[in-house]
């Protein structure tokens, strides 16, 4: 859907530079070394001067510290190059984001105090990049559904752009999807280093999304991610036509996790104003809106990882919901949810009248 934007100043200049994540140690398993893509990652990290240890076995061990905090610190500064297990080739649905999820990696170098991965992945939160990428990609067309475009989400267990300088796997995946019929790739990030993705032959088959939030949340609880200003500049680059030096992608914004902190209306209005300035040209854009939620398991892990967290995990101010497997999650009570939802639907109609809101949750 096309949108006409007001001519307001661009946010593309003078954005602060994000420091790329460099692991303190890189481990590579024998199985990963047998894979040409694993060797490609190995060469990249060596060229960056990172210390690489060739393991004798395919299991990653030795990442446990004296306590959870130390385990967290060790694991979050480690990149492990491994092969994805056979189970990774049995794809699971992931509504409402996409038809299926698949994984280029598991784990993320950022430090968001509400991280969605807490409780989803087992063991120390090491960042595992998958060396058998060609096998993972060649498996995807089996899931293509006849007569419709099938969508595949690549960021359920990682932030694929946050480690792209170390792996190159996201660019390879975008190229792969560019050659497919009836299959679209979706991925989301809180990083901004998109320059190497702009000239890729994506053929309209990839929708990059940037996850944004108020300046306050981005600064206080999204450690290790790109500044909001840089993320807004990145979405602009991705959406600009190729002829104008951009990526020519249909883009998306994920506003998450939405939290009704003091002055939230003012802060989210400011966010949408700045977004409108960043996208002051005709482009296709969609929105996904996700309110903050947590489970008993994710709360316990996050409070161990971030003992001084500023995120509110007080169950007494939440409503309890059950998923289809009986798991508990705490969401905002209906009155708060309706207030937030109405605000965003109304503000987005004003700022981006033609942009579809794919879902609110
Ligand atoms: Fe978790 Fe996403 Fe933040 Fe990474 S960017 S720490 S995956 S919430």
């Amino acid at each position: 859907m096309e949108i006409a934007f007001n001519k307001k100043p661009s946010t593309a200049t003078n954005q602060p530079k994000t420091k790329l994540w460099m692991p303190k140690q890189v481990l590579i398993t024998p199985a990963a070394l047998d894979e040409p893509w694993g060797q490609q990652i190995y060469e990249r990290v060596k060229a960056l001067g990172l210390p690489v240890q060739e393991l004798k076995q395919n299991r990653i061990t030795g990442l446990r510290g004296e306590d959870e905090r130390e385990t967290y610190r060790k694991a979050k500064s480690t990149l492990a190059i491994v092969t994805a297990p056979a189970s990774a080739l049995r794809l699971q649905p992931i509504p409402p984001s996409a038809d299926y999820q698949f994984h280029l990696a598991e784990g993320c170098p950022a430090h968001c105090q509400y991280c969605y991965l807490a409780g989803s992945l087992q063991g120390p939160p090491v960042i595992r990049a998958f060396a058998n990428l060609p096998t993972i990609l060649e498996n995807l067309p089996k899931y293509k559904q006849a007569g419709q475009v099938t969508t595949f989400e690549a960021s359920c267990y990682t932030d694929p752009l946050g480690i792209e300088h170390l792996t190159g796997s996201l660019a390879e995946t975008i190229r792969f999807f560019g050659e497919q019929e009836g299959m679209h790739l979706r991925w989301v990030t809180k990083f901004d280093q998109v320059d190497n993705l702009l000239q890729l032959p994506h053929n309209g088959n990839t929708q990059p999304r940037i996850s944004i939030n108020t300046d306050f949340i981005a600064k206080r609880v999204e450690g290790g991610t790109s500044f909001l200003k840089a993320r807004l500049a990145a979405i602009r680059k991705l959406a600009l036509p190729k002829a104008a030096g951009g990526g020519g992608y249909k883009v998306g914004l994920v506003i998450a996790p939405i939290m009704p902190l003091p002055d939230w209306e003012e802060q989210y209005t400011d966010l949408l104003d700045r977004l409108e300035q960043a996208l002051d040209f005709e482009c296709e854009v969609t929105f996904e809106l996700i309110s903050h939620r947590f489970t008993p398991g994710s709360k316990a892990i996050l409070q161990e990882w971030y003992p001084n967290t500023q995120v509110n995990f007080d169950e007494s101010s939440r409503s309890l919901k059950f998923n289809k497997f009986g798991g508990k999650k705490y969401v905002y009570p209906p009155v708060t949810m309706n207030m937030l939802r109405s605000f965003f639907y109304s503000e987005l109609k004003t700022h981006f009248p033609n942009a579809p809101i794919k879902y609110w949750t």
Side-chain angles (χ1 to χ4, degrees), residues 91-242:
L91 303 196
Q92 302 299 320
I94 181 71
S97 168
D99 293 313
Y100 292 101
Q101 55 179 303
F102 74 107
H103 311 291
L104 311 180
E106 285 183 2
C108 170
H111 305 274
C112 301
Q113 293 173 19
Y114 54 76
C115 181
Y116 313 109
L117 301 184
S120 313
L121 298 176
Q122 302 302 310
V126 57
I127 294 89
R128 293 168 199 268
F130 293 144
N132 48 341
L133 183 68
T135 309
I136 292 169
L137 295 179
E138 280 151 23
N139 179 53
L140 301 178
K142 285 187 209 154
Y143 289 84
K144 200 162 79 169
Q145 291 157 13
Q148 66 174 77
V149 172
T150 309
T151 51
F152 296 83
E153 171 64 69
S155 26
C156 293
Y157 286 165
T158 189
D159 186 312
L161 190 60
I163 54 172
E164 176 64 3
H165 54 295
L166 304 169
T167 66
S169 298
L170 180 57
E172 185 66 11
T173 303
I174 292 172
R175 275 189 218 102
F176 174 84
F177 271 85
E179 292 166 358
Q180 308 302 311
E181 291 282 331
M183 289 171 52
H184 283 183
L185 169 66
R186 313 190 78 226
W187 55 273
V188 61
T189 185
K190 290 192 183 78
F191 289 86
D192 72 308
Q193 52 269 24
V194 296
D195 289 2
N196 290 342
L197 308 181
L198 301 181
Q199 292 310 314
L200 296 176
H202 58 77
N203 207 13
N205 292 346
T206 288
Q207 187 188 30
R209 292 112 82 213
I210 303 259
S211 171
I212 54 172
N213 217 318
T214 64
D215 238 343
F216 180 87
I217 293 173
K219 280 187 186 142
R220 300 293 179 93
V221 299
E222 294 181 345
T225 61
S226 296
F227 295 103
L228 176 61
K229 193 173 179 186
R231 288 185 229 171
L232 294 175
I235 200 77
R236 176 181 177 86
K237 286 187 200 170
L238 289 165
L240 273 171
K242 282 201 168 176

Side-chain angles (χ1 to χ4, degrees), residues 4 19 54 87 103 109 117 120 144-145 175 203 224 231 252 260 291 306 321 343 352 361:
K19 221 171 135 212
E54 291 183 24
S87 60
H103 311 291
L117 301 184
S120 313
K144 200 162 79 169
Q145 291 157 13
R175 275 189 218 102
N203 207 13
R231 288 185 229 171
S291 61
Y306 309 108
K321 278 184 96 169
F343 169 84
F352 298 94
T361 184

